[in-house]
Amino acid sequence: MKFDKSAKLYKKGCKHLVGAVNSPVRAFKSVGGNPIFIKEAKGSKIIDVDHNIYIDLVQSYGPMILGHKNKKVDSAVEKALKSGYTFGASTEMEIKLANLVCKSIKTIDKIRFVNSGTEAVLSALRLARAYTGKSKIIKFSGCYHGHSDALLVAAGSGVATLSIPGSKGVPEEAVKNTLIAEYNNIESVKQLIDQHKDIAGIILEPVAGNMGVVRPNQQFVEQLNELTSANDILMIVDEVMTGYRTKFGATHELLGFNADIVCLGKVIGGGFPVGAYGARNEIMEMVAPLGEMYQAGTLSGNPIAMACGYATLKTLKKRSPYKQFKAQAEIIENFLLDAAKENDIELTVNRYGSMINPFFTSERVVDFKSAQTSDTEKFKVFFWNMIENGVYIPPSQFESWFLSAELSEKDLKTIEKAIRIAIKAVSEIKTTEIKEA
Ligand SMILES: *Cc1c(COP(=O)(O)O)cnc(C)c1O
């Protein structure tokens, strides 16, 4: 496989773009090598500028659930484009998308559209604080909620519990109201609630996808529900990744989480920049113009983005690929585990619906700490072998793979073959290391 044109573009891009990218994970830093530049995509496949064709398991990190260039979505976008790009005034499509979302997620009576998941989450925190009159927020280490100051707290356990910012440029004051608990560990939540009286909300990913896939256990869900209602703490469920991914609606409902505020993004824009937050009437009526919590956006509810999101959700509802996702994820899990067994590689696979990824560890992965036991050197070799064999997966051990409705039997065969080769290559690094030793 050649990457000459990508390499050239990377060099060119470095001059005026930071690392030639507009979002860090695209830079391939954790797997080494140059980033791949994409030319186009269709259905389950994505094509780079060197004309290498891959099965796309990145899905733009979630939004492209129907696969690329879905016909219905395409024509909806084209139709919207004909009427103009943005008006700074309301359009009917915003109402249509709002109706569709509110009908499919019980927690949400009213919704506000924004332009990204980051924006949805930071607004949801403001809302939780406005509604409760309290300041502190509990988040879980390893959960990602966008790049707003208050949520960029180091995700590594020791420093994390001290609320030290995880990025330069985030002042300590910005994270002093962010408390860190451990996923699937209710004691860590209880301790924080005992120590702090001023907790407005707990934010979490109902299924974590940003430390790799980590499911909550049932007891954790139930006890979190009890703790939050007993202490008047709002549950802010960040469904930016999981919304419409595992069912037509919100994943927290499947898992039994109570939710007060729900954040959405990714799938609801179908590939255009859309985020949203919603809640029951009483909470949303705090938001301007009805209430005194200010939040605004020049391009919020953009008509092209709304048309794309609406067509995506409509098509998704009709097509309901969720059973297919589960079956295919199970097949991929078996490919991974069988190949690992054959090659004597320690591997854990976590999945939920259309989200799946392998961890190169023998430990069960239930939180950030266990996720971090993964051997990222092994992942690097695995990653490049997957790429070389026509399967595009996220360039990080700690990202979920996403399935699309377009994934075919034939694609699964290609994935199986790539996995076999990639796992074998991983087993070969092991032998060379032993030889050297
Ligand atoms: C992607 C993601 C975000 C951030 O969304 P952006 O659109 O990248 O700002 C927030 N929360 C979760 C759970 C996400 O997966």
Side-chain angles (χ1 to χ4, degrees):
M1 205 172 254
K2 277 192 176 159
F3 303 103
D4 299 356
K5 285 190 178 152
S6 275
K8 254 190 208 151
L9 283 179
Y10 175 64
K11 238 180 150 179
K12 232 174 160 175
C14 280
K15 181 152 190 228
H16 293 301
L17 288 165
V18 182
V21 297
N22 282 300
S23 196
V25 71
R26 297 178 200 163
F28 282 35
K29 219 173 155 180
S30 66
V31 290
N34 291 342
I36 292 169
F37 282 70
I38 302 301
K39 186 168 65 177
E40 59 181 306
K42 186 145 190 1
S44 62
K45 312 247 177 16
I46 193 160
I47 305 168
D48 72 14
V49 287
D50 290 284
H51 212 77
N52 300 309
I53 302 173
Y54 313 91
I55 291 159
D56 181 17
L57 297 182
V58 179
Q59 299 286 306
S60 191
Y61 294 91
M64 306 313 298
I65 193 162
L66 293 171
H68 297 276
K69 298 286 281 177
N70 176 279
K71 275 210 178 94
K72 288 235 164 67
V73 178
D74 232 19
S75 54
V77 170
E78 276 174 22
K79 194 171 157 217
L81 276 169
K82 289 200 174 111
S83 308
Y85 303 163
T86 174
F87 314 118
S90 294
T91 58
E92 188 179 0
M93 197 51 90
E94 293 160 74
I95 300 172
K96 284 169 95 169
L97 185 57
N99 286 350
L100 192 54
V101 172
C102 292
K103 234 188 222 156
S104 51
I105 301 182
K106 276 198 223 90
T107 316
I108 307 182
D109 292 329
K110 282 191 173 60
I111 190 165
R112 168 63 59 83
F113 291 111
V114 293
N115 304 290
S116 68
T118 296
E119 223 187 305
V121 171
L122 76 86
S123 309
L125 294 196
R126 186 179 303 149
L127 180 56
R129 286 167 169 152
Y131 180 78
T132 59
K134 298 191 271 186
S135 304
K136 296 204 162 68
I137 301 288
I138 295 179
K139 91 172 266 288
F140 293 91
S141 78
C143 282
Y144 178 70
H145 302 292
H147 67 87
S148 67
D149 279 359
L151 293 165
L152 273 187
V153 185
S157 58
V159 257
T161 35
L162 296 172
S163 287
I164 290 169
S167 162
K168 283 247 162 100
V170 175
E172 267 169 48
E173 302 83 75
V175 296
K176 77 170 199 297
N177 286 318
T178 310
L179 310 169
I180 310 297
E182 298 301 320
Y183 207 81
N184 275 327
N185 178 343
I186 201 70
E187 280 310 313
S188 69
V189 182
K190 269 190 194 148
Q191 274 178 17
L192 291 174
I193 294 176
D194 287 344
Q195 286 163 13
H196 303 270
K197 292 288 153 251
D198 193 25
I199 300 171
I202 295 185
I203 184 163
L204 93 168
E205 297 179 69
V207 172
N210 287 291
M211 48 177 142
V213 180
V214 176
R215 299 176 57 145
N217 70 54
Q218 203 49 43
Q219 219 185 356
F220 177 68
V221 174
E222 282 161 20
Q223 292 182 325
L224 208 54
N225 285 344
E226 283 167 23
L227 274 177
T228 45
S229 50
N231 293 283
D232 289 319
I233 294 170
L234 295 187
M235 278 281 277
I236 307 162
V237 183
D238 182 352
E239 297 250 9
V240 171
M241 183 182 285
T242 51
Y244 299 91
R245 259 267 147 221
T246 37
K247 74 177 276 233
F248 191 80
T251 297
H252 73 264
E253 289 175 7
L254 282 178
L255 292 160
F257 280 111
N258 291 342
D260 295 294
I261 304 177
V262 179
C263 304
L264 295 164
K266 296 186 173 129
V267 171
I268 63 158
F272 277 78
V274 179
Y277 61 102
R280 58 182 181 269
N281 284 319
E282 184 198 359
I283 299 178
M284 285 308 281
E285 281 160 13
M286 299 291 300
V287 180
L290 294 182
E292 294 180 49
M293 187 210 100
Y294 193 73
Q295 184 274 310
T298 302
L299 295 178
S300 292
N302 173 270
I304 319 289
M306 292 289 107
C308 184
Y310 184 71
T312 298
L313 289 194
K314 271 284 209 202
T315 310
L316 190 57
K317 190 173 179 191
K318 201 155 155 214
R319 192 147 170 189
S320 194
Y322 300 106
K323 258 200 194 135
Q324 172 193 321
F325 283 156
K326 197 171 170 205
Q328 289 181 331
E330 190 179 344
I331 290 171
I332 294 173
E333 174 180 57
N334 287 330
F335 292 160
L336 286 161
L337 292 176
D338 290 350
K341 207 168 160 197
E342 266 166 40
N343 293 285
D344 216 8
I345 291 290
E346 288 175 336
L347 197 75
T348 295
V349 179
N350 282 2
R351 67 182 163 91
Y352 191 80
S354 58
M355 294 161 59
I356 178 169
N357 77 284
F359 297 90
F360 287 93
T361 175
S362 57
E363 287 198 26
R364 274 178 59 231
V365 176
V366 297
D367 57 13
F368 193 44
K369 217 164 101 196
S370 43
Q372 282 182 312
T373 63
S374 303
D375 185 334
T376 51
E377 290 303 314
K378 285 184 183 157
F379 181 81
K380 271 187 200 171
V381 172
F382 179 79
F383 171 81
W384 280 109
N385 276 276
M386 292 296 279
I387 291 285
E388 288 278 351
N389 288 282
V391 184
Y392 187 66
I393 59 169
S396 163
Q397 167 69 84
F398 305 106
E399 296 283 351
S400 170
W401 307 357
F402 299 103
L403 310 188
S404 81
E406 287 294 314
L407 199 68
S408 67
E409 294 282 320
K410 201 171 155 223
D411 293 336
L412 284 174
K413 291 228 162 71
T414 309
I415 293 171
E416 180 179 23
K417 197 171 156 223
I419 286 174
R420 281 180 180 284
I421 297 171
I423 295 275
K424 186 148 193 296
V426 170
S427 77
E428 278 155 11
I429 18 174
K430 211 170 89 180
T431 31
T432 38
E433 270 168 16
I434 291 166
K435 262 187 220 149
E436 278 165 15

